[in-house]
C-alpha cells in the first residue's frame, strides 16, 4: 500500500444525493408551514441529520418536544429513503469510477468519510462498495463535521497518517473538518462556497492523474 490515502465524502461527491436530502428537508419545512431554500441547504451539507433538524427548526422558529423532534427525524429519513429507493449507478457523479479505479489499481488506500447513516446502503446500490478499504460514516462518529473525527477515524482505519490523507468534500463543514485534521482538502463544487479548501474543482472530470500523483507522498 502507498503512503498516501484518499478519503471521499459520499453525498455530493461520489453520488448526487445532496438534492434528495434537500427535497426531504424542504418537504418537512413545507409541512411545518415555512419555506426552505437551496441557499439555506448549503448549511446542511455534511451536517448530521440531528443537527440539520435543529437548524431547520431554527429557520422556522419552531419549538419541539423531544418526541416530536425524534418523529420528524424519522419522517425525514423515510422520505429521503423513498427518494433514493430506485437509485442506481447512473447517479454516480462524473468520473468518480475512473478515479477510484486508478487509485485502486495503483495501490492507494481508499476510505469513505461520510456523515450519513445511510452510506453503506447507498454504496451497495451504486455498486461502488468494493473500492473502499474502510467505510466510516454517521454510525461510527460521536462528533459531526466540522469536527475532524470522521476523517481521523478513516485515516486510522486505512493506517495512513492524517497529514498524508487527501479529502474530497462538497461541504463547508467537511472542508473545515479536513483542514482541522491537517489533511489536504479538495473542494468539489462551488469554489466561492468552498473557499477554505486547499484545491477546488467543479467535479472529477477536472482532476487528472498527474494531479493525483502530485498529491501523493510516495
Ligand atoms: C451528509 C449530508 O453526507 O449526511 C447531509 O451531506 C446529511 O446533508 C448527512 O444530513 C446525514 O445523512 P443521513 O443519511 O444519515 O440522514
Ligand atoms: Mg457531502
Amino acid at each position: 500500500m502507498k503512503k498516501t490515502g484518499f478519503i471521499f465524502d459520499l453525498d455530493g461527491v461520489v453520488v448526487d444525493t445532496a438534492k434528495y436530502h434537500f427535497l426531504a428537508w424542504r418537504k418537512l419545512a413545507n409541512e411545518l408551514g415555512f419555506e426552505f431554500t437551496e441557499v439555506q441547504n448549503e448549511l446542511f451539507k455534511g451536517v448530521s441529520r440531528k443537527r440539520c433538524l435543529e437548524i431547520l427548526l431554527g429557520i422556522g422558529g419552531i419549538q419541539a418536544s423531544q418526541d416530536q423532534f425524534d418523529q420528524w427525524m424519522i419522517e425525514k429519513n423515510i422520505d429521503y429513503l423513498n427518494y433514493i429507493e430506485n437509485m442506481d449507478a447512473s447517479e454516480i457523479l462524473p468520473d468518480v469510477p475512473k478515479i477510484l479505479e486508478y487509485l485502486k489499481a495503483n495501490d492507494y488506500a481508499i476510505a469513505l468519510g461520510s456523515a450519513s447513516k445511510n452510506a453503506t446502503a447507498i454504496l451497495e446500490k451504486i455498486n461502488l462498495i468494493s473500492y473502499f478499504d474502510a467505510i466510516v460514516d454517521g454510525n461510527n462518529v460521536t462528533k459531526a463535521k466540522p469536527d475532524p473525527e470522521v476523517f481521523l477515524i478513516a485515516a486510522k482505519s486505512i493506517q495512513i497518517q492524517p497529514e498524508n490523507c487527501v479529502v474530497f468534500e462538497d461541504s463547508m463543514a467537511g472542508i473545515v473538518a479536513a483542514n482541522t485534521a491537517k489533511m489536504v482538502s479538495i473542494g468539489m463544487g462551488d469554489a466561492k462556497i468552498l473557499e477554505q479548501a486547499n484545491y477546488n474543482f467543479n467535479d472529477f472530470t477536472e482532476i487528472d492523474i498527474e494531479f493525483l500523483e502530485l498529491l501523493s507522498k510516495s
Side-chain angles (χ1 to χ4, degrees):
M1 199 64 85
K2 297 218 170 107
K3 249 181 25 193
T4 306
F6 289 83
I7 304 176
F8 291 74
D9 172 48
L10 177 70
D11 296 313
V13 168
V14 169
V15 68
D16 199 9
T17 37
K19 64 184 181 207
Y20 298 125
H21 279 294
F22 169 64
L23 291 175
W25 286 125
R26 191 177 65 180
K27 181 168 178 286
L28 180 60
N30 292 347
E31 278 164 18
L32 297 176
F34 61 95
E35 284 305 320
F36 176 60
T37 67
E38 294 212 43
V39 173
Q40 290 167 326
N41 188 55
E42 282 304 320
L43 294 172
F44 284 47
K45 290 187 178 172
V47 173
S48 70
R49 198 182 308 166
K50 179 168 174 282
R51 185 72 198 115
C52 286
L53 182 55
E54 286 167 1
I55 303 173
L56 191 83
L57 296 181
I59 292 170
I62 288 177
Q63 307 274 350
S65 66
Q66 189 60 50
D67 280 358
Q68 184 63 82
F69 188 96
D70 294 345
Q71 190 53 40
W72 285 332
M73 285 233 288
I74 292 168
E75 264 177 45
K76 184 270 171 177
N77 196 48
I78 291 172
D79 287 333
Y80 175 66
L81 292 176
N82 278 336
Y83 285 124
I84 64 168
E85 196 185 341
N86 298 317
M87 195 172 67
D88 59 21
S90 67
E91 295 199 53
I92 297 172
L93 287 161
D95 276 4
V96 169
K98 185 181 125 187
I99 300 283
L100 289 172
E101 193 58 51
Y102 175 82
L103 296 174
K104 193 102 210 139
N106 287 277
D107 215 22
Y108 287 105
I110 305 172
L112 191 86
S114 167
S116 174
K117 295 187 172 175
N118 297 303
T120 301
I122 291 172
L123 284 179
E124 276 168 354
K125 267 181 197 294
I126 59 175
N127 238 327
L128 289 183
I129 201 154
S130 61
Y131 284 101
F132 292 87
D133 300 300
I135 292 173
V136 183
D137 65 22
N139 299 296
N140 309 112
V141 296
T142 54
K143 289 169 251 159
K145 299 171 188 175
D147 190 281
E149 186 185 20
V150 64
F151 295 141
L152 292 172
I153 298 176
K156 207 171 187 167
S157 309
I158 52 175
Q159 294 175 295
I160 304 280
Q161 292 300 315
E163 57 273 24
N164 292 340
C165 287
V166 176
V167 174
F168 297 105
E169 254 296 346
D170 72 319
S171 71
M172 291 185 274
I175 293 295
V176 173
N179 291 345
T180 307
K182 303 212 169 0
M183 299 177 176
V184 175
S185 59
I186 308 204
M188 303 300 296
D190 190 333
K192 282 197 216 80
I193 293 170
L194 305 174
E195 59 178 8
Q196 294 186 59
N198 297 134
Y199 300 91
N200 290 92
F201 297 96
N202 287 309
D203 60 41
F204 284 100
T205 65
E206 296 179 356
I207 297 185
D208 55 24
I209 302 309
E210 286 73 33
F211 177 71
L212 294 178
E213 290 301 332
L214 190 81
L215 295 172
S216 171
K217 303 278 194 303
S218 58

